[in-house]
Amino acid sequence: MTGMCDEIRPRAGLLPLTIYVAAPRGFCAGVDRAIQIVELALAKYGAPVYVRHEIVHNRHVVEALKAKGAIFVEELDEIPDTQAPVIFSAHGVPKSVPEAAEARHLFYLDATCPLVSKVHIEAERHHEDGREVLLIGHAGHPEVLGTMGQLPEGSVHLIETIDDALAFTPKNPDALAYTTQTTLSVDDTRAIAEVLKERFPRMVGPRKDDICYATTNRQEAVKRIAPLCDRLIVVGSPNSSNSLRLVEVAERAGCPRAMLVQCAAEIDWANFIGIKSLGITAGASAPEVLVEGIIEAFKARFAAKVQSVVTAEEDIAFKLPRQLRDGPAL
């Protein structure tokens, strides 16, 4: 986007600075798949391609896809009758959305992250088994709306805090299950789940933690570098849940101040006067080019030494929708 990440003029005088760059960081497999779905749909079917909600929560990504011919809408009723593909975002959607698309004979592609789809399936199975379903998550987040929308209204109870967990009154304490949003703080979620388990010992939880591997790995990487840093930057968008959690994790892990920054042009340099060490990471929907731009901005102002701190290796990839893997265009 023009002017969004313009280079900033360096200041005179270069003081030493160690930059610790967390790894893993940035795009996860679900985000990478979702962006590929939009790009491949544009390549196969041509512009326009309609996308319901931001495909991922990153302004840079959204603007780049707009430039290629993607049209972003919040609801299906903003889309005209069309043969063009309609893509659902990586966060997932309520069941009512594909049902509405089918009623209008829209051709849609579902870019929901497979790990979010796993949570949807868990919630449905618990409901079918006669359990009340608790969802640990943040009200209003698209992923939460999508998960709650898999079941009849009133079947899922949102738990945002420990106070919510303490206040919840079930219909039957022996017929409860919980699941979670995939992009939460690992530590906060564990604390809430422990309260629920203590109150309702027979409550059923996920066989494996619902918080996705990428969220977990990025939080662990931040915990490693945070105590070493005078300041820590999380590259990400204000509406990105996993990016906001990284800011919280960094400060809890010992960094005096962490902040969310979308790109180099947003840096308030007054916050970095006198620092000797800086941490940098990126949320799961932030492209690496934004990280590189921020590193270069600091190199222009400091005698910077960059160290990569690797805490995990990631090699996960998810299959693309069948329509984009084979077969002719519509």
Side-chain angles (χ1 to χ4, degrees), residues 50 72-80 104:
Y50 292 91
F72 290 84
V73 300
E74 284 303 308
E75 299 296 343
L76 294 186
D77 59 15
E78 300 172 49
I79 301 173
R104 290 185 55 192

Side-chain angles (χ1 to χ4, degrees), residues 9 45 58 63 99 124 130 148-149 196 212 237 243 295:
R9 187 172 61 189
Y45 302 106
N58 186 273
E63 293 297 331
E99 289 171 357
E124 287 186 284
M148 295 183 77
L196 289 170
C212 83
S237 296
S243 299
I295 291 173

Side-chain angles (χ1 to χ4, degrees), residues 8-26:
I8 304 168
R9 187 172 61 189
R11 294 177 180 176
L14 298 179
L15 298 174
L17 177 69
T18 302
I19 301 176
Y20 298 99
V21 185
R25 64 182 176 275

Side-chain angles (χ1 to χ4, degrees), residues 22 183-188 215 218-223 225-227 229-262 266 272 279-284:
T183 54
L184 300 176
S185 160
V186 174
D187 295 333
D188 287 350
T215 298
R218 281 148 190 72
Q219 290 180 18
E220 288 302 315
V222 164
K223 288 178 183 178
I225 67 171
C229 302
D230 297 325
R231 296 287 185 273
L232 189 142
I233 287 175
V234 177
V235 185
S237 296
N239 58 344
S240 167
S241 175
N242 75 87
S243 299
L244 292 170
R245 303 293 81 75
L246 289 173
V247 174
E248 297 169 357
V249 168
E251 292 187 341
R252 291 178 186 175
C255 181
R257 185 171 179 192
M259 58 205 73
L260 188 69
V261 173
Q262 295 194 78
E266 287 192 355
F272 299 92
I280 299 178
T281 188

Side-chain angles (χ1 to χ4, degrees), residues 164-292:
D164 290 345
L166 290 169
F168 176 70
T169 302
K171 296 175 184 175
N172 180 356
D174 294 331
L176 282 177
Y178 82 94
T179 188
T180 81
Q181 184 179 335
T182 63
T183 54
L184 300 176
S185 160
V186 174
D187 295 333
D188 287 350
T189 304
R190 183 183 297 118
I192 292 170
E194 286 174 356
V195 169
L196 289 170
K197 290 173 186 175
E198 185 175 342
R199 292 191 64 208
F200 311 114
R202 299 191 65 181
M203 182 180 66
V204 177
R207 293 177 184 173
K208 188 179 179 183
D209 196 350
D210 283 335
I211 295 176
C212 83
Y213 78 94
T215 298
T216 302
N217 287 349
R218 281 148 190 72
Q219 290 180 18
E220 288 302 315
V222 164
K223 288 178 183 178
R224 176 75 65 85
I225 67 171
L228 308 174
C229 302
D230 297 325
R231 296 287 185 273
L232 189 142
I233 287 175
V234 177
V235 185
S237 296
N239 58 344
S240 167
S241 175
N242 75 87
S243 299
L244 292 170
R245 303 293 81 75
L246 289 173
V247 174
E248 297 169 357
V249 168
E251 292 187 341
R252 291 178 186 175
C255 181
R257 185 171 179 192
M259 58 205 73
L260 188 69
V261 173
Q262 295 194 78
C263 62
E266 287 192 355
I267 297 172
D268 181 352
W269 293 100
N271 291 322
F272 299 92
I273 295 172
I275 68 167
K276 296 182 179 179
S277 57
L278 172 71
I280 299 178
T281 188
S285 50
E288 183 65 13
V289 65
L290 301 180
V291 175
E292 293 169 356

Side-chain angles (χ1 to χ4, degrees), residues 91-171:
H91 312 98
V93 295
K95 277 188 174 179
S96 59
V97 173
E99 289 171 357
E102 289 167 7
R104 290 185 55 192
H105 305 290
L106 295 174
F107 167 51
Y108 67 86
L109 299 167
D110 191 353
T112 300
C113 173
L115 298 180
V116 174
S117 296
K118 178 177 90 62
V119 175
H120 291 180
I121 293 167
E122 286 175 357
E124 287 186 284
R125 286 177 178 168
H126 290 314
H127 180 68
E128 289 168 1
D129 290 340
R131 300 185 182 98
E132 275 186 281
V133 179
L134 308 185
L135 172 61
I136 301 174
H138 294 301
H141 189 277
E143 183 184 330
V144 166
L145 297 175
T147 299
M148 295 183 77
Q150 301 306 304
L151 303 182
E153 189 172 351
S155 300
V156 182
H157 306 279
L158 184 62
I159 305 293
E160 294 191 82
T161 64
I162 286 177
D163 286 343
D164 290 345
L166 290 169
F168 176 70
T169 302
K171 296 175 184 175

